[in-house]
Amino acid sequence: MEANVEKKPIVFSAVQPSGLPTIGNYIGALKNWVNMQDEFDCIYAVADLHAITVRQEPAKLRANSMQMMALLLACGIDPDKCVLFMQSHVSAHSELAWLLNTITYIGELSRMTQFKDKSRKHESNINVGLLDYPVLMAADILLYQAEYIPVGKDQTQHLELARDLAERFNNAYSPTFTVPKGYIPKTGGRIMSLQDPMHKMSKSDDANAFIGMLDTPDEIARKIKRAVTDSVGVINYCPEQPGVSNLLDIYAAFGDETPEQAAAAFEGKGYGELKAALTERLVEVLTPIRENCTRYMGDKAYLQSVMKKGEDAAAAMAYRTLAKVRRKMGFI
Ligand code: TYM
């Protein structure tokens, strides 16, 4: 009799090692990565090929890639439950990206918000990789037949392209790819800058604008104290108070409650109290992560073994899909 083994849906996501991740990365994506490990077959990558669309110093890229691996483990990604690997270790990603390039239109890439933003920020280095970035991201996802993609809101356009390319390829050559769906938190999908709550929190901003995942308790306290609020003086969760609402989003995400519940808990209290409670929560969650990360960083051999195991598992899946694609496109 055939064993009744239920196949779990596949999840894929990745994070760039282009600097220290922020609590925005954590709330928008990494927290879901950890939570999804039991219910889904999860595949997670450090997207080093994406990082080089912005000029990287090689030694720094190597160090940041290692640190990102250590941080993911420290956050609770368990390499015995999921596949964790470096994107550049599985060359199928670059190859599928090339094949998908031939069914992607320049118009749809040049319309991407992130391409426009990054072109503005890196005026002297608007390279083809920056334009092609979403195609590589589609290749990442489609190689693994992933159904759910846990990401923050800023990746919505890129996911849409991955869906379009999957459907376009399936229609042109016959069903090959699973059409993926985003898995974006209802609140916290877009954590805002502490200095300018109308803009996304980003690791490339001024250090006061974000909390890094490895910030010390003193740094956290200082940055939260300086976070921009408003002159209303009352704690509400509403679009008219973006600074305070952002603090409530962060507070809620780090305590597994809704921002509305958090706002209710602070009824009648001042911004100082909210900031103190938020600092306490952040320090409580981030301290063990920072300590674990330091421990993993001290064991390079273990990090290498995790990467190797992940690479082998990822490659087996990726090359199976790539072989299918090559055959369907007419390669001998
Ligand atoms: P990256 O490295 O910029 O960010 C990693 C994840 O963090 C989310 N994020 C945020 N969420 C909420 N608030 C914020 N302020 C915030 N800032 C970042 C991002 O949405 C992302 O989920 N292109 C991707 C990496 C990637 C990828 C993939 C993702 C490469 N291939 C395939 C999914 C599937 C990126 O640049 O993420």
mmCIF file of all heavy atoms in Angstrom, residues 12-18 22-30 33 45 47 50 68 87 114 118 133 136-138 140-141 149-155 158-159 188-193 200-203, ligand 1:
data_model
loop_
_atom_site.group_PDB
_atom_site.id
_atom_site.type_symbol
_atom_site.label_atom_id
_atom_site.label_comp_id
_atom_site.label_asym_id
_atom_site.label_seq_id
_atom_site.Cartn_x
_atom_site.Cartn_y
_atom_site.Cartn_z
ATOM 1 N N PHE A 12 9.149 29.826 -0.735
ATOM 2 C CA PHE A 12 10.507 30.308 -1.051
ATOM 3 C C PHE A 12 10.608 31.780 -0.680
ATOM 4 O O PHE A 12 9.676 32.560 -0.909
ATOM 5 C CB PHE A 12 10.840 30.147 -2.542
ATOM 6 C CG PHE A 12 12.244 30.611 -2.857
ATOM 7 C CD1 PHE A 12 13.300 29.718 -2.847
ATOM 8 C CD2 PHE A 12 12.520 31.962 -3.098
ATOM 9 C CE1 PHE A 12 14.605 30.147 -3.063
ATOM 10 C CE2 PHE A 12 13.822 32.399 -3.319
ATOM 11 C CZ PHE A 12 14.858 31.490 -3.299
ATOM 12 N N SER A 13 11.755 32.161 -0.122
ATOM 13 C CA SER A 13 12.036 33.584 0.033
ATOM 14 C C SER A 13 13.544 33.797 0.150
ATOM 15 O O SER A 13 14.300 32.831 0.313
ATOM 16 C CB SER A 13 11.305 34.181 1.231
ATOM 17 O OG SER A 13 11.268 35.589 1.114
ATOM 18 N N ALA A 14 13.948 35.059 0.045
ATOM 19 C CA ALA A 14 15.377 35.371 0.107
ATOM 20 C C ALA A 14 15.570 36.769 0.678
ATOM 21 O O ALA A 14 14.646 37.590 0.673
ATOM 22 C CB ALA A 14 15.991 35.278 -1.286
ATOM 23 N N VAL A 15 16.779 36.995 1.173
ATOM 24 C CA VAL A 15 17.127 38.319 1.704
ATOM 25 C C VAL A 15 18.507 38.682 1.179
ATOM 26 O O VAL A 15 19.378 37.812 1.061
ATOM 27 C CB VAL A 15 17.072 38.320 3.252
ATOM 28 C CG1 VAL A 15 18.001 37.286 3.871
ATOM 29 C CG2 VAL A 15 17.392 39.699 3.844
ATOM 30 N N GLN A 16 18.700 39.948 0.828
ATOM 31 C CA GLN A 16 20.006 40.362 0.293
ATOM 32 C C GLN A 16 21.017 40.597 1.413
ATOM 33 O O GLN A 16 20.670 41.206 2.421
ATOM 34 C CB GLN A 16 19.856 41.691 -0.435
ATOM 35 C CG GLN A 16 19.063 41.626 -1.691
ATOM 36 C CD GLN A 16 19.185 42.945 -2.422
ATOM 37 O OE1 GLN A 16 20.229 43.275 -2.981
ATOM 38 N NE2 GLN A 16 18.120 43.719 -2.415
ATOM 39 N N PRO A 17 22.267 40.194 1.202
ATOM 40 C CA PRO A 17 23.289 40.457 2.221
ATOM 41 C C PRO A 17 23.969 41.796 1.958
ATOM 42 O O PRO A 17 25.198 41.895 1.983
ATOM 43 C CB PRO A 17 24.265 39.296 2.009
ATOM 44 C CG PRO A 17 24.193 39.041 0.533
ATOM 45 C CD PRO A 17 22.797 39.382 0.088
ATOM 46 N N SER A 18 23.160 42.825 1.697
ATOM 47 C CA SER A 18 23.754 44.093 1.270
ATOM 48 C C SER A 18 23.976 45.031 2.444
ATOM 49 O O SER A 18 24.159 46.220 2.284
ATOM 50 C CB SER A 18 22.864 44.758 0.208
ATOM 51 O OG SER A 18 21.549 44.789 0.682
ATOM 52 N N THR A 22 17.362 45.091 9.074
ATOM 53 C CA THR A 22 16.684 45.935 10.055
ATOM 54 C C THR A 22 15.491 45.183 10.645
ATOM 55 O O THR A 22 15.114 44.113 10.144
ATOM 56 C CB THR A 22 16.134 47.210 9.381
ATOM 57 O OG1 THR A 22 15.030 46.811 8.540
ATOM 58 C CG2 THR A 22 17.190 47.897 8.536
ATOM 59 N N ILE A 23 14.868 45.790 11.661
ATOM 60 C CA ILE A 23 13.652 45.181 12.193
ATOM 61 C C ILE A 23 12.529 45.225 11.147
ATOM 62 O O ILE A 23 11.558 44.491 11.258
ATOM 63 C CB ILE A 23 13.188 45.841 13.515
ATOM 64 C CG1 ILE A 23 13.035 47.356 13.338
ATOM 65 C CG2 ILE A 23 14.151 45.507 14.654
ATOM 66 C CD1 ILE A 23 12.307 48.024 14.499
ATOM 67 N N GLY A 24 12.645 46.076 10.114
ATOM 68 C CA GLY A 24 11.674 46.075 9.004
ATOM 69 C C GLY A 24 11.751 44.747 8.254
ATOM 70 O O GLY A 24 10.734 44.121 7.961
ATOM 71 N N ASN A 25 12.976 44.299 7.967
ATOM 72 C CA ASN A 25 13.163 43.008 7.297
ATOM 73 C C ASN A 25 12.570 41.889 8.164
ATOM 74 O O ASN A 25 11.958 40.941 7.657
ATOM 75 C CB ASN A 25 14.643 42.687 7.071
ATOM 76 C CG ASN A 25 15.346 43.695 6.178
ATOM 77 O OD1 ASN A 25 16.371 44.250 6.536
ATOM 78 N ND2 ASN A 25 14.779 43.959 5.011
ATOM 79 N N TYR A 26 12.785 42.016 9.462
ATOM 80 C CA TYR A 26 12.327 40.976 10.393
ATOM 81 C C TYR A 26 10.798 40.912 10.429
ATOM 82 O O TYR A 26 10.200 39.854 10.260
ATOM 83 C CB TYR A 26 12.891 41.254 11.786
ATOM 84 C CG TYR A 26 12.516 40.216 12.813
ATOM 85 C CD1 TYR A 26 13.119 38.960 12.809
ATOM 86 C CD2 TYR A 26 11.558 40.480 13.786
ATOM 87 C CE1 TYR A 26 12.774 37.994 13.752
ATOM 88 C CE2 TYR A 26 11.210 39.528 14.729
ATOM 89 C CZ TYR A 26 11.821 38.294 14.706
ATOM 90 O OH TYR A 26 11.478 37.342 15.636
ATOM 91 N N ILE A 27 10.177 42.078 10.623
ATOM 92 C CA ILE A 27 8.713 42.098 10.767
ATOM 93 C C ILE A 27 8.033 41.745 9.441
ATOM 94 O O ILE A 27 7.075 40.989 9.402
ATOM 95 C CB ILE A 27 8.241 43.487 11.265
ATOM 96 C CG1 ILE A 27 8.805 43.747 12.668
ATOM 97 C CG2 ILE A 27 6.724 43.575 11.275
ATOM 98 C CD1 ILE A 27 8.607 45.175 13.167
ATOM 99 N N GLY A 28 8.566 42.311 8.333
ATOM 100 C CA GLY A 28 7.936 42.081 7.026
ATOM 101 C C GLY A 28 8.137 40.657 6.517
ATOM 102 O O GLY A 28 7.267 40.113 5.839
ATOM 103 N N ALA A 29 9.284 40.058 6.833
ATOM 104 C CA ALA A 29 9.586 38.773 6.194
ATOM 105 C C ALA A 29 10.133 37.714 7.154
ATOM 106 O O ALA A 29 9.547 36.635 7.305
ATOM 107 C CB ALA A 29 10.579 39.010 5.049
ATOM 108 N N LEU A 30 11.250 38.006 7.802
ATOM 109 C CA LEU A 30 11.964 36.940 8.530
ATOM 110 C C LEU A 30 11.126 36.279 9.621
ATOM 111 O O LEU A 30 11.247 35.067 9.859
ATOM 112 C CB LEU A 30 13.271 37.492 9.134
ATOM 113 C CG LEU A 30 14.232 38.152 8.138
ATOM 114 C CD1 LEU A 30 15.520 38.577 8.820
ATOM 115 C CD2 LEU A 30 14.539 37.210 6.973
ATOM 116 N N TRP A 33 9.199 33.746 7.992
ATOM 117 C CA TRP A 33 10.057 32.620 7.585
ATOM 118 C C TRP A 33 10.142 31.609 8.725
ATOM 119 O O TRP A 33 10.024 30.411 8.520
ATOM 120 C CB TRP A 33 11.486 33.083 7.301
ATOM 121 C CG TRP A 33 11.709 33.938 6.096
ATOM 122 C CD1 TRP A 33 10.802 34.714 5.429
ATOM 123 C CD2 TRP A 33 12.963 34.105 5.425
ATOM 124 N NE1 TRP A 33 11.435 35.363 4.397
ATOM 125 C CE2 TRP A 33 12.748 35.015 4.382
ATOM 126 C CE3 TRP A 33 14.248 33.598 5.629
ATOM 127 C CZ2 TRP A 33 13.774 35.407 3.513
ATOM 128 C CZ3 TRP A 33 15.263 33.985 4.780
ATOM 129 C CH2 TRP A 33 15.030 34.877 3.727
ATOM 130 N N ALA A 45 16.973 31.603 0.912
ATOM 131 C CA ALA A 45 18.298 31.884 0.349
ATOM 132 C C ALA A 45 18.816 33.243 0.798
ATOM 133 O O ALA A 45 18.041 34.156 1.108
ATOM 134 C CB ALA A 45 18.212 31.854 -1.181
ATOM 135 N N ALA A 47 20.453 36.203 -0.901
ATOM 136 C CA ALA A 47 20.477 36.597 -2.319
ATOM 137 C C ALA A 47 21.713 37.441 -2.627
ATOM 138 O O ALA A 47 21.627 38.654 -2.846
ATOM 139 C CB ALA A 47 19.188 37.331 -2.670
ATOM 140 N N HIS A 50 21.732 39.131 -6.124
ATOM 141 C CA HIS A 50 20.970 40.379 -6.188
ATOM 142 C C HIS A 50 21.774 41.544 -5.619
ATOM 143 O O HIS A 50 21.672 42.673 -6.095
ATOM 144 C CB HIS A 50 19.648 40.240 -5.426
ATOM 145 C CG HIS A 50 18.573 39.595 -6.235
ATOM 146 N ND1 HIS A 50 18.216 38.273 -6.086
ATOM 147 C CD2 HIS A 50 17.789 40.078 -7.223
ATOM 148 C CE1 HIS A 50 17.254 37.986 -6.934
ATOM 149 N NE2 HIS A 50 16.971 39.064 -7.644
ATOM 150 N N MET A 68 24.808 37.206 7.459
ATOM 151 C CA MET A 68 23.382 37.000 7.209
ATOM 152 C C MET A 68 22.993 35.554 7.497
ATOM 153 O O MET A 68 21.949 35.288 8.085
ATOM 154 C CB MET A 68 23.041 37.376 5.758
ATOM 155 C CG MET A 68 21.566 37.321 5.452
ATOM 156 S SD MET A 68 20.580 38.449 6.464
ATOM 157 C CE MET A 68 20.721 39.942 5.507
ATOM 158 N N GLN A 87 22.417 31.849 -2.672
ATOM 159 C CA GLN A 87 21.887 31.868 -4.048
ATOM 160 C C GLN A 87 22.971 31.572 -5.088
ATOM 161 O O GLN A 87 22.765 30.787 -6.011
ATOM 162 C CB GLN A 87 21.278 33.243 -4.277
ATOM 163 C CG GLN A 87 20.621 33.492 -5.611
ATOM 164 C CD GLN A 87 20.328 34.979 -5.769
ATOM 165 O OE1 GLN A 87 21.082 35.828 -5.271
ATOM 166 N NE2 GLN A 87 19.243 35.314 -6.443
ATOM 167 N N GLN A 114 11.053 49.974 -7.785
ATOM 168 C CA GLN A 114 12.382 49.822 -7.180
ATOM 169 C C GLN A 114 13.489 50.173 -8.174
ATOM 170 O O GLN A 114 14.500 50.759 -7.797
ATOM 171 C CB GLN A 114 12.578 48.398 -6.666
ATOM 172 C CG GLN A 114 13.873 48.278 -5.883
ATOM 173 C CD GLN A 114 14.104 46.884 -5.327
ATOM 174 O OE1 GLN A 114 13.347 46.390 -4.506
ATOM 175 N NE2 GLN A 114 15.152 46.242 -5.790
ATOM 176 N N LYS A 118 16.138 53.007 -7.329
ATOM 177 C CA LYS A 118 17.576 52.696 -7.260
ATOM 178 C C LYS A 118 18.361 53.420 -8.346
ATOM 179 O O LYS A 118 19.527 53.762 -8.151
ATOM 180 C CB LYS A 118 17.799 51.179 -7.338
ATOM 181 C CG LYS A 118 17.422 50.476 -6.047
ATOM 182 C CD LYS A 118 18.104 49.127 -5.906
ATOM 183 C CE LYS A 118 17.823 48.512 -4.552
ATOM 184 N NZ LYS A 118 18.304 47.135 -4.426
ATOM 185 N N TYR A 133 16.981 42.699 -12.291
ATOM 186 C CA TYR A 133 16.830 42.196 -10.927
ATOM 187 C C TYR A 133 15.545 41.372 -10.711
ATOM 188 O O TYR A 133 15.591 40.254 -10.187
ATOM 189 C CB TYR A 133 16.883 43.437 -10.026
ATOM 190 C CG TYR A 133 16.748 43.271 -8.556
ATOM 191 C CD1 TYR A 133 17.819 43.564 -7.710
ATOM 192 C CD2 TYR A 133 15.548 42.879 -7.974
ATOM 193 C CE1 TYR A 133 17.698 43.458 -6.336
ATOM 194 C CE2 TYR A 133 15.425 42.765 -6.605
ATOM 195 C CZ TYR A 133 16.500 43.061 -5.800
ATOM 196 O OH TYR A 133 16.376 42.953 -4.445
ATOM 197 N N LEU A 136 15.683 37.792 -12.164
ATOM 198 C CA LEU A 136 16.440 36.857 -11.327
ATOM 199 C C LEU A 136 15.595 36.434 -10.126
ATOM 200 O O LEU A 136 15.598 35.267 -9.724
ATOM 201 C CB LEU A 136 17.746 37.526 -10.858
ATOM 202 C CG LEU A 136 18.640 36.700 -9.937
ATOM 203 C CD1 LEU A 136 19.078 35.397 -10.594
ATOM 204 C CD2 LEU A 136 19.881 37.503 -9.514
ATOM 205 N N MET A 137 14.837 37.375 -9.595
ATOM 206 C CA MET A 137 13.967 37.046 -8.458
ATOM 207 C C MET A 137 12.877 36.053 -8.888
ATOM 208 O O MET A 137 12.556 35.108 -8.154
ATOM 209 C CB MET A 137 13.361 38.349 -7.920
ATOM 210 C CG MET A 137 12.575 38.147 -6.678
ATOM 211 S SD MET A 137 12.245 39.731 -5.856
ATOM 212 C CE MET A 137 10.712 39.283 -5.040
ATOM 213 N N ALA A 138 12.340 36.237 -10.092
ATOM 214 C CA ALA A 138 11.338 35.291 -10.610
ATOM 215 C C ALA A 138 11.982 33.912 -10.771
ATOM 216 O O ALA A 138 11.387 32.881 -10.427
ATOM 217 C CB ALA A 138 10.781 35.794 -11.944
ATOM 218 N N ASP A 140 14.467 32.670 -9.057
ATOM 219 C CA ASP A 140 14.613 32.108 -7.705
ATOM 220 C C ASP A 140 13.343 31.347 -7.307
ATOM 221 O O ASP A 140 13.392 30.214 -6.827
ATOM 222 C CB ASP A 140 14.773 33.221 -6.653
ATOM 223 C CG ASP A 140 16.045 34.043 -6.812
ATOM 224 O OD1 ASP A 140 16.963 33.580 -7.494
ATOM 225 O OD2 ASP A 140 16.096 35.151 -6.231
ATOM 226 N N ILE A 141 12.229 32.024 -7.506
ATOM 227 C CA ILE A 141 10.942 31.506 -7.031
ATOM 228 C C ILE A 141 10.483 30.319 -7.880
ATOM 229 O O ILE A 141 10.093 29.265 -7.366
ATOM 230 C CB ILE A 141 9.880 32.631 -7.100
ATOM 231 C CG1 ILE A 141 10.231 33.749 -6.106
ATOM 232 C CG2 ILE A 141 8.483 32.091 -6.872
ATOM 233 C CD1 ILE A 141 9.421 35.031 -6.289
ATOM 234 N N ILE A 149 5.208 33.078 -1.013
ATOM 235 C CA ILE A 149 6.446 33.850 -0.927
ATOM 236 C C ILE A 149 6.314 34.871 0.203
ATOM 237 O O ILE A 149 5.695 35.940 0.021
ATOM 238 C CB ILE A 149 6.707 34.599 -2.270
ATOM 239 C CG1 ILE A 149 6.430 33.694 -3.485
ATOM 240 C CG2 ILE A 149 8.120 35.182 -2.327
ATOM 241 C CD1 ILE A 149 7.318 32.461 -3.570
ATOM 242 N N PRO A 150 6.868 34.566 1.387
ATOM 243 C CA PRO A 150 6.781 35.531 2.490
ATOM 244 C C PRO A 150 7.733 36.712 2.301
ATOM 245 O O PRO A 150 8.959 36.555 2.344
ATOM 246 C CB PRO A 150 7.170 34.707 3.732
ATOM 247 C CG PRO A 150 7.956 33.547 3.220
ATOM 248 C CD PRO A 150 7.515 33.305 1.804
ATOM 249 N N VAL A 151 7.167 37.884 2.064
ATOM 250 C CA VAL A 151 7.950 39.111 1.814
ATOM 251 C C VAL A 151 7.205 40.308 2.388
ATOM 252 O O VAL A 151 6.033 40.201 2.753
ATOM 253 C CB VAL A 151 8.144 39.366 0.297
ATOM 254 C CG1 VAL A 151 9.189 38.462 -0.313
ATOM 255 C CG2 VAL A 151 6.831 39.271 -0.453
ATOM 256 N N GLY A 152 7.871 41.451 2.417
ATOM 257 C CA GLY A 152 7.227 42.701 2.774
ATOM 258 C C GLY A 152 6.495 43.276 1.562
ATOM 259 O O GLY A 152 6.650 42.789 0.443
ATOM 260 N N LYS A 153 5.709 44.348 1.817
ATOM 261 C CA LYS A 153 4.870 44.951 0.767
ATOM 262 C C LYS A 153 5.685 45.466 -0.404
ATOM 263 O O LYS A 153 5.212 45.512 -1.537
ATOM 264 C CB LYS A 153 4.084 46.113 1.366
ATOM 265 C CG LYS A 153 2.630 45.806 1.529
ATOM 266 C CD LYS A 153 1.847 47.068 1.842
ATOM 267 C CE LYS A 153 0.609 46.671 2.643
ATOM 268 N NZ LYS A 153 0.285 47.599 3.695
ATOM 269 N N ASP A 154 6.956 45.887 -0.144
ATOM 270 C CA ASP A 154 7.749 46.497 -1.216
ATOM 271 C C ASP A 154 8.076 45.502 -2.340
ATOM 272 O O ASP A 154 8.557 45.912 -3.391
ATOM 273 C CB ASP A 154 9.051 47.098 -0.645
ATOM 274 C CG ASP A 154 9.945 46.063 -0.009
ATOM 275 O OD1 ASP A 154 9.433 45.007 0.425
ATOM 276 O OD2 ASP A 154 11.165 46.278 0.057
ATOM 277 N N GLN A 155 7.808 44.223 -2.119
ATOM 278 C CA GLN A 155 8.126 43.231 -3.162
ATOM 279 C C GLN A 155 6.909 42.869 -4.019
ATOM 280 O O GLN A 155 6.998 41.994 -4.888
ATOM 281 C CB GLN A 155 8.710 41.958 -2.526
ATOM 282 C CG GLN A 155 10.022 42.195 -1.784
ATOM 283 C CD GLN A 155 11.119 42.723 -2.691
ATOM 284 O OE1 GLN A 155 11.271 42.284 -3.829
ATOM 285 N NE2 GLN A 155 11.876 43.689 -2.206
ATOM 286 N N HIS A 158 7.379 42.979 -7.821
ATOM 287 C CA HIS A 158 8.284 41.918 -8.283
ATOM 288 C C HIS A 158 7.566 40.569 -8.305
ATOM 289 O O HIS A 158 7.777 39.750 -9.205
ATOM 290 C CB HIS A 158 9.520 41.845 -7.388
ATOM 291 C CG HIS A 158 10.389 43.059 -7.463
ATOM 292 N ND1 HIS A 158 11.371 43.337 -6.552
ATOM 293 C CD2 HIS A 158 10.430 44.065 -8.370
ATOM 294 C CE1 HIS A 158 11.970 44.466 -6.875
ATOM 295 N NE2 HIS A 158 11.409 44.936 -7.971
ATOM 296 N N LEU A 159 6.718 40.336 -7.311
ATOM 297 C CA LEU A 159 5.966 39.077 -7.267
ATOM 298 C C LEU A 159 4.986 38.994 -8.423
ATOM 299 O O LEU A 159 4.782 37.935 -9.010
ATOM 300 C CB LEU A 159 5.177 38.978 -5.965
ATOM 301 C CG LEU A 159 5.958 38.581 -4.730
ATOM 302 C CD1 LEU A 159 5.030 38.455 -3.536
ATOM 303 C CD2 LEU A 159 6.672 37.256 -4.964
ATOM 304 N N GLY A 188 2.409 45.555 9.378
ATOM 305 C CA GLY A 188 3.851 45.372 9.489
ATOM 306 C C GLY A 188 4.495 44.978 8.160
ATOM 307 O O GLY A 188 5.681 44.713 8.105
ATOM 308 N N GLY A 189 3.707 44.959 7.081
ATOM 309 C CA GLY A 189 4.265 44.635 5.763
ATOM 310 C C GLY A 189 5.149 45.765 5.246
ATOM 311 O O GLY A 189 5.904 45.597 4.279
ATOM 312 N N ARG A 190 5.000 46.923 5.871
ATOM 313 C CA ARG A 190 5.804 48.078 5.476
ATOM 314 C C ARG A 190 6.118 48.897 6.721
ATOM 315 O O ARG A 190 5.326 49.757 7.131
ATOM 316 C CB ARG A 190 5.024 48.907 4.439
ATOM 317 C CG ARG A 190 5.821 49.998 3.784
ATOM 318 C CD ARG A 190 4.977 50.642 2.686
ATOM 319 N NE ARG A 190 5.548 51.881 2.253
ATOM 320 C CZ ARG A 190 6.539 51.982 1.357
ATOM 321 N NH1 ARG A 190 7.017 50.919 0.791
ATOM 322 N NH2 ARG A 190 7.018 53.149 1.021
ATOM 323 N N ILE A 191 7.249 48.604 7.341
ATOM 324 C CA ILE A 191 7.688 49.352 8.523
ATOM 325 C C ILE A 191 8.389 50.616 8.028
ATOM 326 O O ILE A 191 9.178 50.573 7.083
ATOM 327 C CB ILE A 191 8.625 48.471 9.397
ATOM 328 C CG1 ILE A 191 7.847 47.268 9.943
ATOM 329 C CG2 ILE A 191 9.255 49.293 10.528
ATOM 330 C CD1 ILE A 191 6.680 47.600 10.858
ATOM 331 N N MET A 192 8.073 51.745 8.685
ATOM 332 C CA MET A 192 8.559 53.022 8.181
ATOM 333 C C MET A 192 9.809 53.502 8.923
ATOM 334 O O MET A 192 10.115 53.024 10.028
ATOM 335 C CB MET A 192 7.445 54.076 8.299
ATOM 336 C CG MET A 192 6.114 53.647 7.714
ATOM 337 S SD MET A 192 6.255 52.987 6.032
ATOM 338 C CE MET A 192 6.090 54.473 5.081
ATOM 339 N N SER A 193 10.516 54.433 8.296
ATOM 340 C CA SER A 193 11.713 55.040 8.890
ATOM 341 C C SER A 193 11.358 55.712 10.220
ATOM 342 O O SER A 193 10.292 56.329 10.343
ATOM 343 C CB SER A 193 12.252 56.086 7.914
ATOM 344 O OG SER A 193 13.024 57.033 8.602
ATOM 345 N N LYS A 200 9.825 54.185 3.759
ATOM 346 C CA LYS A 200 10.106 52.832 4.243
ATOM 347 C C LYS A 200 11.406 52.787 5.062
ATOM 348 O O LYS A 200 12.383 53.447 4.696
ATOM 349 C CB LYS A 200 10.244 51.945 2.989
ATOM 350 C CG LYS A 200 10.412 50.491 3.225
ATOM 351 C CD LYS A 200 10.648 49.750 1.909
ATOM 352 C CE LYS A 200 12.088 49.774 1.466
ATOM 353 N NZ LYS A 200 12.456 48.781 0.457
ATOM 354 N N MET A 201 11.411 51.999 6.135
ATOM 355 C CA MET A 201 12.655 51.770 6.867
ATOM 356 C C MET A 201 13.590 50.970 5.971
ATOM 357 O O MET A 201 13.192 49.953 5.398
ATOM 358 C CB MET A 201 12.378 50.988 8.154
ATOM 359 C CG MET A 201 13.621 50.711 8.970
ATOM 360 S SD MET A 201 13.297 49.773 10.491
ATOM 361 C CE MET A 201 12.649 51.033 11.565
ATOM 362 N N SER A 202 14.845 51.442 5.848
ATOM 363 C CA SER A 202 15.750 50.780 4.917
ATOM 364 C C SER A 202 17.159 50.741 5.497
ATOM 365 O O SER A 202 17.604 51.699 6.135
ATOM 366 C CB SER A 202 15.717 51.550 3.591
ATOM 367 O OG SER A 202 16.854 51.255 2.833
ATOM 368 N N LYS A 203 17.848 49.622 5.243
ATOM 369 C CA LYS A 203 19.186 49.473 5.823
ATOM 370 C C LYS A 203 20.199 50.419 5.184
ATOM 371 O O LYS A 203 21.295 50.605 5.707
ATOM 372 C CB LYS A 203 19.658 48.013 5.755
ATOM 373 C CG LYS A 203 19.581 47.344 4.406
ATOM 374 C CD LYS A 203 19.713 45.829 4.533
ATOM 375 C CE LYS A 203 19.241 45.137 3.264
ATOM 376 N NZ LYS A 203 18.805 43.779 3.413
HETATM 377 P P1 TYM B 1 15.551 42.702 0.863
HETATM 378 O O1 TYM B 1 16.837 42.066 1.205
HETATM 379 O O2 TYM B 1 15.538 44.130 0.456
HETATM 380 O O3 TYM B 1 14.555 42.589 2.086
HETATM 381 C C1 TYM B 1 14.274 41.334 2.711
HETATM 382 C C2 TYM B 1 12.810 41.262 3.082
HETATM 383 O O4 TYM B 1 12.471 42.321 3.980
HETATM 384 C C3 TYM B 1 11.302 42.989 3.519
HETATM 385 N N1 TYM B 1 11.395 44.408 3.924
HETATM 386 C C4 TYM B 1 10.483 45.044 4.674
HETATM 387 N N2 TYM B 1 9.335 44.633 5.227
HETATM 388 C C5 TYM B 1 8.642 45.532 5.953
HETATM 389 N N3 TYM B 1 9.052 46.814 6.163
HETATM 390 C C6 TYM B 1 10.204 47.265 5.634
HETATM 391 N N4 TYM B 1 10.606 48.517 5.857
HETATM 392 C C7 TYM B 1 10.991 46.360 4.850
HETATM 393 N N5 TYM B 1 12.173 46.474 4.193
HETATM 394 C C8 TYM B 1 12.405 45.266 3.626
HETATM 395 C C9 TYM B 1 11.343 42.823 2.010
HETATM 396 O O5 TYM B 1 10.061 42.954 1.454
HETATM 397 C C10 TYM B 1 11.882 41.423 1.872
HETATM 398 O O6 TYM B 1 10.858 40.475 1.971
HETATM 399 N N6 TYM B 1 14.384 41.164 -3.704
HETATM 400 C C11 TYM B 1 14.372 40.744 -2.320
HETATM 401 C C12 TYM B 1 15.217 39.502 -2.071
HETATM 402 C C13 TYM B 1 14.859 38.352 -2.943
HETATM 403 C C14 TYM B 1 13.652 37.602 -2.895
HETATM 404 C C15 TYM B 1 13.817 36.590 -3.905
HETATM 405 C C16 TYM B 1 12.516 37.642 -2.099
HETATM 406 C C17 TYM B 1 15.634 37.844 -3.928
HETATM 407 N N7 TYM B 1 14.997 36.776 -4.520
HETATM 408 C C18 TYM B 1 12.791 35.654 -4.136
HETATM 409 C C19 TYM B 1 11.525 36.696 -2.345
HETATM 410 C C20 TYM B 1 11.661 35.720 -3.362
HETATM 411 C C21 TYM B 1 14.963 41.892 -1.502
HETATM 412 O O7 TYM B 1 15.618 42.731 -1.991
HETATM 413 O O8 TYM B 1 14.773 41.794 -0.189
#
